[in-house]
Amino acid sequence: MMSSAAVAQTEITLWHAMGGALGESVNALAEGFNASQSDYVITPVFKGTYEETLTAGIAAFRAGEQPNIIQVFDAGAATVIAAQGATVPVQDLMEANGVDFDIEDYISGVRYFYADSDGKMIGMPFNSSSPIMYYNVQALEAAGVTPPATWEEFQDVTAPALVEAGYIPLAQSHLPWIFTENFHSRHNLPFATNNNGYDGLDTEILVNNPAIRAHFTALRDWQERGFFEWYGTGWGDNQTPFEEGKVAIWLGSSGSFGGLSQLDLPFDFSAGFLPYWEAVTTSPTQSFIGGASLFAMADKSDAENAATAAFFDYLASPEVQYVWHRDTGYVPITNASYELAKADGHYDRFPAAEVGIQQLSLPSGEHTRGYRMGFYVQIRDVMNREYGRILTGETSVEDAFNNIETEANELLARFAQTQG
Amino acid sequence: MKRALFSNIWLPVALLLPQLVIIAVFFYWPAGYAVQSSFYLQDPFGFGSTFVGAGNYQSLFRNNEYLKIANFTLWFTVIVTFFSLAIALILAVKADRVIRGAKTYRTLLMWVYAVAPPVAGFIAVIMFNQSWGPLTEFFALFGYRFQVGVNFNDTAFAMILTSIWKQVPVNFIFFLSGLQSIPRSVREAALIDNRSASGRFWTVTFPLLAPTGFFLLIINITYALFDTFGIVDTVVKGEPGNNPMTLVYKVYVDGFRGNDLGGSSAQSVVLMALVLALTFVQFRLVERRIHYT
């Protein structure tokens, strides 16, 4: 007791949704921070899935028992950012505590996703990922093809050859994220009104457009021709057939890299950019980031906020980011950490580990910054439901997108009312 | 029944108080709060809110999907209740006749009771794994590709099967003890009057089991409506997608996953009304026909 009174350490908590090996990486991160200085102690607490973590944080906030830092995923960002009194913008927090902060230090694909409409960073990007294309090297060799750059190439060259070679050519793990949100971003198509939702609450979704309808019509066609297989909404159900060597190309997260590398796969895998439709654009743009960011919750003492700022500063340091990137496969969030990873030869050893950040660093466009929509978790649920029905032949592409548009706009209007 | 008389009004009140406080705090208060928030749309963090009157209810009943989920819940409840009771009754009647090794049989039939719903769901997920699940392979023998999480009916089948499997032991225990409490004299008298075993069952044993059966009917409907939550959640792997779901799961999806407090409160109120109506029907219409010894 005496010693703790002599060196009063400020204790802060971090609620996160990183289970398993990722959770251990978070614990290592916290231990590293605690060992790096003697003023502050951070305690990470695993709260379940992303949805459960956000809900736990909300309940705790209402009871006045909120943690200092909470991890919030991409689809939940609108909820937490709209509730302006719930968090302290990370940029304000850093400046108030005299920590050097320059948003330009962050890589361009990551910089503004969790920012407000003026470009002020609200949430600190943490585990940032991007959907990329993994492929089975031996399968593509056996079929005598190279990884497809466009969906036209996939359809006309890659898929027929892979079927010939005895493979299921394509699977993916998240239809709303990969084939909807990032479909819009890769083709620089507007995803919602109000600048993809950043500029106001009276936003309407623009998902019912000819390009994406054509994409899902093609998917359905590929499914019938044996070019594409859908194993349900569950992430793992779609990843397993790739790991088993049945599926040749799998669209997953750049954050899947760490997990795949640790498996004893019966083949070599590599990765490439998410293909695009040449018919839609000849200059494909960067993808959105997925994953989650850290928010500093409001109503905490100055001492605790100083600890939170110190932790964020530690987290953004190139060395820490590089270790996090190397161990988990999530992209490094700052330019300096990316340079460090390059200098250390990480990408010479694992070329596939660089694909995510390269894709996030592709040319940006008017609509590639991100999206901000309330009740987006339910909007994703609606998408998943309708896509499932398309792919099981229960509904047509037109009806499905009409339903998504109607229900999503209703949810957006309801969300606007929650802020009234 | 004998009526107990207390000379002092405060003693019974004091005795009842703890129970009443528990009910008020853990039931009436949250229920009242749910009714109140069902008329608002509110920011989950508690900053903004808008009074929308019956808006949440209107958008609920305008929504085709909600009606589909209600329809699925109805069928799910009927099927799970019927088969859980029927299978348990058959097993109990058969086990009641077993003399040698009776205890072993009974124990074997009961032990699934100890399995928690999410664990039962997890067992289903393993059995129906798309790549290597034993039951998936069994269906493949008949040339059927069973896909939980892809095909709506396959997923519904897995949920229903697991829910029944999980519930049969509870019903079995109650039916068995119900059978064993039927007096020997009654059975022997029946044996003289009626030679057919099935005739004896339907005219003597079944009516005498009615109080147990009625109790189990209520328990099973409640189970199918509410307690199967863990099974549904595990079988769909937390992703509703195009999978079947029950009304309770929908409350969770919108309220806890989606943070739509107003909408999910309205759904909870609908469920409360449903349970009230069911209770009324059960006690007013069904229980009157039951003879308690």
Side-chain angles (χ1 to χ4, degrees):
Chain A
M1 288 307 283
M2 269 165 61
S3 65
S4 71
V7 225
Q9 287 183 317
T10 309
E11 294 185 10
I12 57 171
T13 47
L14 158 67
W15 285 7
H16 67 87
M18 305 273 88
L22 290 172
E24 281 160 33
S25 295
V26 173
N27 292 341
L29 209 61
E31 280 162 26
F33 173 70
N34 293 341
S36 73
Q37 40 71 46
S38 54
D39 296 334
Y40 315 115
V41 175
I42 191 165
T43 312
V45 183
F46 173 61
K47 297 300 280 188
T49 63
Y50 281 138
E51 289 90 347
E52 285 162 356
T53 304
L54 178 57
T55 303
I58 289 171
F61 183 82
R62 295 184 72 136
E65 302 281 332
Q66 69 271 32
N68 298 83
I69 307 171
I70 184 168
Q71 184 188 19
V72 178
F73 66 134
D74 49 4
T79 306
V80 68
I81 291 175
Q84 284 176 2
T87 61
V88 182
V90 62
Q91 198 162 333
D92 293 347
L93 181 85
M94 301 294 241
E95 280 159 11
N97 288 284
V99 177
D100 281 341
F101 179 85
D102 183 359
I103 201 165
E104 299 294 322
D105 290 343
Y106 292 77
I107 64 163
S108 69
V110 164
R111 206 176 288 157
Y112 293 115
F113 191 94
Y114 299 103
D116 66 11
S117 59
D118 301 330
K120 184 204 273 181
M121 192 183 273
I122 310 291
M124 163 112 172
F126 177 51
N127 53 321
S128 300
S129 59
S130 188
I132 58 171
M133 174 180 73
Y134 289 96
Y135 55 88
N136 177 327
V137 174
Q138 277 80 34
L140 265 62
E141 274 170 10
V145 289
T146 51
T150 65
W151 288 122
E152 281 88 349
E153 182 189 350
F154 171 80
Q155 177 172 263
D156 300 334
V157 183
T158 324
L162 282 166
V163 168
E164 192 75 12
Y167 290 94
I168 296 165
L170 179 69
Q172 63 70 49
S173 272
H174 200 311
L175 291 166
W177 184 47
I178 302 173
F179 278 167
T180 314
E181 295 145 28
N182 281 287
F183 180 89
H184 287 83
S185 150
R186 280 291 271 153
H187 298 93
N188 193 25
L189 297 168
F191 187 32
T193 59
N194 277 339
N195 185 21
N196 277 1
Y198 280 97
D199 294 346
L201 283 168
D202 55 342
T203 300
E204 296 205 335
I205 203 164
L206 298 172
V207 73
N208 195 358
N209 61 66
I212 196 169
R213 285 198 305 266
H215 183 66
F216 275 85
T217 308
L219 275 183
R220 184 78 182 118
D221 174 51
W222 295 348
Q223 206 186 8
E224 274 158 18
R225 290 157 73 184
F227 291 1
F228 168 65
E229 180 100 49
W230 181 68
Y231 299 90
T233 309
W235 181 284
D237 289 340
N238 290 283
Q239 183 174 348
T240 308
F242 175 71
E243 291 169 358
E244 290 171 343
K246 291 181 200 160
V247 165
I249 297 173
W250 169 68
L251 309 177
S253 164
S254 56
S256 311
F257 177 80
L260 282 175
S261 313
Q262 281 163 19
L263 290 174
D264 186 22
L265 294 177
F267 55 86
D268 298 320
F269 76 90
S270 190
F273 294 159
L274 199 60
Y276 60 96
W277 286 97
E278 218 165 3
V280 179
T281 180
T282 47
S283 47
T285 39
Q286 61 183 205
S287 47
F288 293 147
I289 47 167
S293 65
L294 300 180
F295 287 86
M297 297 204 82
D299 303 334
K300 291 291 182 186
S301 71
D302 289 346
E304 290 185 18
N305 283 342
T308 303
F311 178 69
F312 283 168
D313 190 36
Y314 174 81
L315 196 60
S317 68
E319 295 75 20
V320 172
Q321 270 300 310
Y322 172 43
V323 171
W324 171 252
H325 166 52
R326 195 187 58 202
D327 292 353
T328 63
Y330 285 114
V331 299
I333 54 169
T334 60
N335 293 315
S337 53
Y338 181 32
E339 293 305 323
L340 183 63
K342 274 195 227 172
D344 191 52
H346 183 53
Y347 305 126
D348 299 330
R349 292 187 292 274
F350 307 103
E354 196 178 5
V355 174
I357 185 163
Q358 282 174 330
Q359 188 175 282
L360 283 168
S361 311
L362 286 174
S364 58
E366 198 187 339
H367 310 293
T368 62
R369 168 188 163 186
Y371 60 90
R372 174 93 22 97
M373 281 181 261
F375 284 156
Y376 197 70
V377 174
Q378 284 101 311
I379 295 179
R380 271 188 175 171
D381 283 346
V382 172
M383 288 175 182
N384 270 323
R385 188 189 74 217
E386 294 297 325
Y387 295 157
R389 289 182 183 165
I390 292 176
L391 296 174
T392 51
E394 289 169 58
T395 188
S396 69
V397 173
E398 284 69 30
D399 288 350
F401 278 95
N402 287 339
N403 273 347
I404 293 170
E405 188 181 28
T406 312
E407 287 192 44
N409 284 337
E410 193 172 317
L411 283 163
L412 288 168
R414 284 165 57 79
F415 183 77
Q417 282 186 291
T418 66
Q419 302 301 313
Chain B
M1 244 220 271
K2 239 196 246 169
R3 182 180 283 253
L5 287 176
F6 293 95
S7 52
N8 183 340
I9 181 75
W10 296 111
L11 179 63
V13 167
L15 289 173
L16 280 174
L17 201 63
Q19 183 68 25
L20 290 176
V21 166
I22 287 173
I23 292 177
V25 169
F26 290 99
F27 183 72
Y28 289 116
W29 188 32
Y33 191 72
V35 172
Q36 187 203 354
S37 44
S38 74
F39 295 111
Y40 289 87
L41 273 170
Q42 61 170 310
D43 171 71
F45 284 93
F47 291 107
S49 77
T50 307
F51 179 77
V52 292
N56 287 326
Y57 294 93
Q58 280 163 358
S59 68
L60 209 55
F61 290 108
R62 255 205 328 263
N63 188 331
N64 247 335
E65 290 308 319
Y66 188 71
L67 301 178
K68 277 186 194 164
I69 292 167
N71 187 41
F72 173 77
T73 309
L74 175 75
W75 284 107
F76 177 82
T77 307
V78 168
I79 295 172
V80 169
T81 305
F82 177 79
F83 282 102
S84 312
L85 288 173
I87 295 170
L89 183 59
I90 293 170
L91 289 173
V93 169
K94 299 292 178 199
D96 191 36
R97 291 191 191 143
V98 171
I99 297 163
R100 193 193 290 264
K103 276 201 175 140
T104 317
Y105 279 114
R106 286 171 202 167
T107 311
L108 284 175
L109 284 166
M110 277 178 219
W111 70 2
V112 178
Y113 182 39
V115 177
V119 178
F122 188 64
I123 293 171
V125 167
I126 291 171
M127 297 299 275
F128 287 107
N129 183 295
Q130 284 186 39
S131 305
W132 43 261
L135 285 174
T136 310
E137 285 174 1
F138 172 77
F139 282 104
L141 292 178
F142 303 96
Y144 184 74
R145 187 166 177 212
F146 199 94
Q147 280 191 294
V148 166
V150 176
N151 184 302
F152 183 93
N153 292 331
D154 291 355
T155 314
F157 179 83
M159 281 176 190
I160 289 171
L161 186 73
T162 314
S163 304
I164 294 172
W165 172 71
K166 164 84 187 79
Q167 185 64 3
V168 162
V170 186
N171 297 341
F172 170 77
I173 295 167
F174 280 99
F175 273 133
L176 189 65
S177 62
L179 283 169
Q180 289 175 342
S181 67
I182 295 174
R184 208 174 177 79
S185 55
V186 176
R187 292 190 193 204
E188 279 166 0
L191 204 59
I192 297 165
D193 290 343
N194 195 335
R195 287 180 59 198
S196 141
S198 74
R200 283 200 305 277
F201 175 78
W202 289 113
T203 54
V204 178
T205 316
F206 192 71
L208 286 171
L209 268 181
T212 311
F214 175 65
F215 165 74
L216 286 178
L217 183 70
I218 297 173
I219 294 288
N220 278 266
I221 290 175
T222 317
Y223 164 78
L225 277 174
F226 297 100
D227 296 354
T228 50
F229 175 89
I231 294 174
V232 174
D233 185 48
T234 325
V235 169
V236 305
K237 302 185 178 117
E239 285 292 345
N242 59 327
N243 295 309
M245 59 174 140
T246 56
L247 287 171
V248 173
Y249 192 65
K250 175 77 174 156
V251 173
Y252 161 78
V253 164
D254 288 347
F256 284 80
R257 261 171 69 97
N259 298 309
D260 175 5
L261 301 184
S264 66
S265 295
Q267 293 181 30
S268 317
V269 173
V270 169
L271 271 178
M272 280 193 263
L274 187 77
V275 171
L276 275 176
L278 262 178
T279 315
F280 181 81
V281 167
Q282 282 165 342
F283 283 93
R284 277 301 160 104
L285 304 178
V286 183
E287 203 197 16
R288 286 183 176 183
R289 296 161 195 267
I290 288 173
H291 171 72
Y292 289 95
T293 43

